[in-house]
Amino acid sequence: MSIKPARTRVAPSPTGHMHLATARVALYDYLLAKRTGGQFILRIEDTDLKRTVPGAEQEIMDGLRWLGLEYDEGPDIGGKFGPYRQTERREIYQRHARILVDNGSAYPCFCAPDRLEKVRQEQMKRKENPRYDGTCRALDPDEAAKRMANGESYTIRFKMPREGVTVARDHLRGDITTENKQLNDYVLLKTDGLPTYHLAAIVDDHEMQITHVLRGSEWLGTFPLHVNIVRAFGWEEPAWVHLSVFLKPSGKGKLSKRDTSLAMKDGYSVFIKDMNELGYTPEGVNNWIALMGWGVAEDDVMTIEQMIERFTIDSLTPSPAAINFQKLDHFNATHIRLFTTEDLAARLKPYFTREGISADDSVLLKIVPLIRERLVTLDDCIQFGAFFFKDEVAPNPEDLVTKGLDAKQSAEVARRAYQILAAQPDLSHERCEPPMRAYVEESGYSAGQVFGILRVAVTGQKVSPPLFESMEVIGREKCLQRIKNAIEILEKM
Ligand code: GLU
């Protein structure tokens, strides 16, 4: 079966931090484009100048690249259908608004904002849905043209059909039928000559030859308007796919700003820019996002390549998806275990650098196999690996006193361990482990007690990667120095 190449686009507004929702649309867009041998496009929808935030566009581009979702066309790389920033496409929208006015599908509206507001208040009082009352819809076109020519300020409104129904087909929900009398004459072009989303997105999707529009289900409300606009131009419709909403982690209610700050307090985030800092990997994040609205098996661990192989829009689901950060941890940890040692070492290095630890590459390569199984996020490498690189460790004196023994007995264990290890030419784990185990036998103490003291002495902490393998990496001299130091601490207690 041959598949038609899809052209998909993510069309974020640069109005704040790049959110999971944008990443999810982009991921599905990317998968569909790659699956079908098509193109994935980034378009910046920046026509709401008041809401534009400086730096937000760059953050989107950086976020997509971090996720590995390279777009084929976009504002910074151009493409056949550019410009890809809507504020640079004003004339295109104005031209299209004129087409609709000329074919009777739209009209200029001269109503002043205060009159519109009054109408709205009255409608609310009557418990009606606020909508335009149609004053300028009834204007004689010649009269309207004259007023435009006189320089009066105006918007262009879409002339919604008033009778009958609009049937709009969503790929996941099927036909959605709306009575036209429920619909409103929405503004397409604002008084400043810039388009609203309704006009700009429809025109661009057509001009950029988009075949599949994937977007959030918050657009279902104005979906009938959008298909009416497409039809008024006489264009072919793209396939419309409205993705499910995100719910709070509890599953109760839509994700809110408050949930976002609560997540941050727990060390999580819904913003892509934070993911790297928190130690998440693009692989883990993509996998997590992929399954929030894609009905493959719950626990499917997939690389991007595997996702591309399996992706179809038919397997997307309209049911809401609760944000579950434990799943993010799960996918992140799972992908960390799949990286090669060299790859993981390179990814961990910046986290050590961030802590002021200069992690030598050859040591890093040795510790990766020791700590890998313990990492949920990449920055966990500090907790499990910083002691490898430090000149000294500073164990908590209480931790050196092992369970069931007092400080004196613990000091004796540490002294014996020192003697045994100092007698070895090197501290390879094959060499150290047997005599230490023999000592455990003869001492009558448990392995937990003896190795517990040794672990705290050489790593400075109670939880660490495998002890003897770790000592081998730390090296003879440093280990002996650290044990000596622990003995001194214990003797002073
Ligand atoms: N600019 C719109 C938004 O950020 C895009 C919606 C769409 O993808 O069409 O919500």
Side-chain angles (χ1 to χ4, degrees):
M1 194 187 73
S2 77
I3 328 172
K4 204 167 155 260
R7 281 181 60 84
T8 58
R9 91 295 193 276
V10 63
S13 299
T15 52
H17 293 307
M18 180 183 174
H19 193 271
L20 282 183
T22 307
R24 185 181 59 170
V25 172
L27 174 63
Y28 293 166
D29 280 334
Y30 178 87
L31 296 177
L32 180 59
K34 296 294 152 194
R35 164 97 197 137
T36 59
Q39 294 88 35
F40 163 53
I41 290 130
L42 169 64
R43 181 173 77 223
I44 297 292
E45 301 206 328
D46 57 350
T47 59
D48 192 346
L49 301 179
K50 282 195 284 296
R51 293 183 59 221
T52 297
V53 172
E57 178 184 308
Q58 190 60 47
E59 191 178 312
I60 292 163
M61 300 192 295
D62 293 346
L64 290 174
R65 295 213 166 96
W66 182 77
L67 287 166
L69 308 177
E70 289 287 340
Y71 39 92
D72 303 298
E73 298 163 32
D76 56 339
I77 56 171
K80 232 170 61 192
F81 301 86
Y84 293 90
R85 211 176 268 119
Q86 289 187 327
T87 47
E88 294 166 18
R89 300 171 63 81
R90 280 167 206 258
E91 291 74 37
I92 299 174
Y93 309 123
Q94 289 168 359
R95 179 156 47 80
H96 281 88
R98 267 200 306 278
I99 295 173
L100 292 182
V101 173
D102 291 347
N103 77 10
S105 307
Y107 58 91
C109 170
F110 303 94
C111 294
D114 50 346
R115 194 190 89 74
L116 294 172
E117 181 54 26
K118 222 157 77 215
V119 171
R120 205 178 73 90
Q121 295 291 345
E122 281 162 14
Q123 287 170 332
M124 302 256 281
K125 241 188 263 159
R126 293 200 298 272
K127 303 229 171 344
E128 292 172 10
N129 277 340
R131 64 208 315 207
Y132 182 55
D133 64 355
T135 307
C136 293
R137 180 173 172 133
L139 275 184
D140 173 59
D142 291 338
E143 157 83 11
K146 228 183 270 163
R147 289 174 69 176
M148 283 161 86
N150 279 346
E152 237 181 274
S153 153
Y154 64 90
T155 60
I156 300 286
R157 284 186 186 272
F158 189 65
K159 197 188 266 180
M160 272 288 200
R162 285 199 169 153
E163 264 109 55
V165 293
T166 296
V167 181
R169 166 161 296 205
D170 171 73
H171 193 86
L172 307 181
R173 294 164 182 81
D175 285 347
I176 301 171
T177 306
T178 315
E179 288 203 51
N180 287 343
K181 61 174 189 273
Q182 307 293 335
L183 304 176
N184 192 2
D185 284 2
Y186 284 94
V187 171
L188 300 179
L189 205 65
K190 299 177 281 184
T191 49
D192 61 3
L194 277 172
T196 56
Y197 168 77
H198 312 305
L199 179 67
I202 299 302
V203 167
D204 286 348
D205 287 340
H206 173 74
E207 294 267 300
M208 297 179 180
Q209 297 179 11
I210 300 303
T211 58
H212 296 75
V213 171
L214 277 67
R215 59 181 185 177
S217 58
E218 66 272 21
W219 296 105
L220 278 171
T222 43
F223 183 27
L225 163 70
H226 302 142
V227 301
N228 273 301
I229 298 175
V230 176
R231 291 169 193 171
F233 279 116
W235 292 335
E236 204 181 309
E237 279 179 54
W240 306 91
V241 188
H242 292 91
L243 301 176
S244 57
V245 287
F246 287 122
L247 299 180
K248 293 176 194 298
S250 65
K252 292 188 194 118
K254 271 179 72 177
L255 194 76
S256 68
K257 282 237 164 78
R258 202 172 149 259
D259 300 317
T260 305
S261 17
L262 282 178
M264 302 252 196
K265 277 204 201 105
D266 290 341
Y268 295 109
S269 178
V270 296
F271 300 125
I272 301 304
K273 72 166 175 74
D274 296 333
M275 294 297 177
N276 182 50
E277 204 169 313
L278 295 172
Y280 291 102
T281 62
E283 288 82 354
V285 175
N286 278 328
N287 205 150
W288 179 54
I289 293 175
L291 298 190
M292 286 195 267
W294 180 8
V296 275
E298 263 280 285
D299 195 32
D300 248 321
V301 174
M302 291 179 284
T303 60
I304 278 275
E305 290 71 27
Q306 290 164 330
M307 288 185 213
I308 293 172
E309 256 167 52
R310 294 174 64 176
F311 187 76
T312 65
I313 46 172
D314 295 341
S315 50
L316 296 179
T317 152
S319 342
I323 304 263
N324 181 334
F325 290 111
Q326 282 71 42
K327 280 195 186 161
L328 170 60
D329 283 340
H330 163 73
F331 284 118
N332 203 63
T334 309
H335 279 280
I336 285 176
R337 282 148 192 71
L338 298 175
F339 300 150
T340 63
T341 299
E342 290 72 21
D343 183 14
L344 184 52
R347 294 190 198 222
L348 296 180
K349 194 161 174 151
Y351 293 89
F352 284 114
T353 310
R354 186 173 81 178
E355 292 296 309
I357 299 167
S358 89
D360 177 82
D361 287 336
S362 64
V363 178
L364 204 46
L365 286 173
K366 283 190 208 144
I367 73 166
V368 162
L370 303 182
I371 66 173
R372 181 201 295 276
E373 293 299 318
R374 289 173 160 75
L375 305 180
V376 172
T377 50
L378 294 175
D379 60 342
D380 287 343
C381 68
I382 302 305
Q383 186 190 342
F384 294 112
F387 63 83
F388 285 107
F389 301 101
K390 293 193 173 150
D391 288 334
E392 288 168 14
V393 290
N396 192 343
E398 273 86 73
D399 293 344
L400 283 168
V401 181
T402 200
K403 214 162 150 216
L405 306 189
D406 59 19
K408 222 168 130 209
Q409 290 165 310
S410 299
E412 178 52 26
V413 170
R415 275 193 296 268
R416 280 292 293 139
Y418 184 92
Q419 283 166 5
I420 293 166
L421 297 172
Q424 312 300 326
D426 67 65
L427 293 195
S428 67
H429 71 277
E430 294 92 344
R431 220 186 259 285
C432 301
E433 196 165 341
M436 282 305 298
R437 291 215 177 261
Y439 166 58
V440 168
E441 287 293 306
E442 92 192 35
S443 71
Y445 298 135
S446 72
Q449 287 171 319
V450 173
F451 297 163
I453 295 170
L454 193 55
R455 182 187 310 279
V456 176
V458 295
T459 70
Q461 56 199 53
K462 283 162 85 170
V463 183
S464 82
L467 176 61
F468 291 102
E469 281 86 347
S470 298
M471 294 202 318
E472 180 173 341
V473 177
I474 296 167
R476 184 173 185 277
E477 200 185 324
K478 249 193 205 175
C479 278
L480 292 176
Q481 184 53 48
R482 288 180 186 184
I483 299 168
K484 208 186 223 168
N485 182 35
I487 295 167
E488 274 168 29
I489 296 174
L490 283 164
E491 283 173 347
K492 277 197 212 123
M493 284 178 83

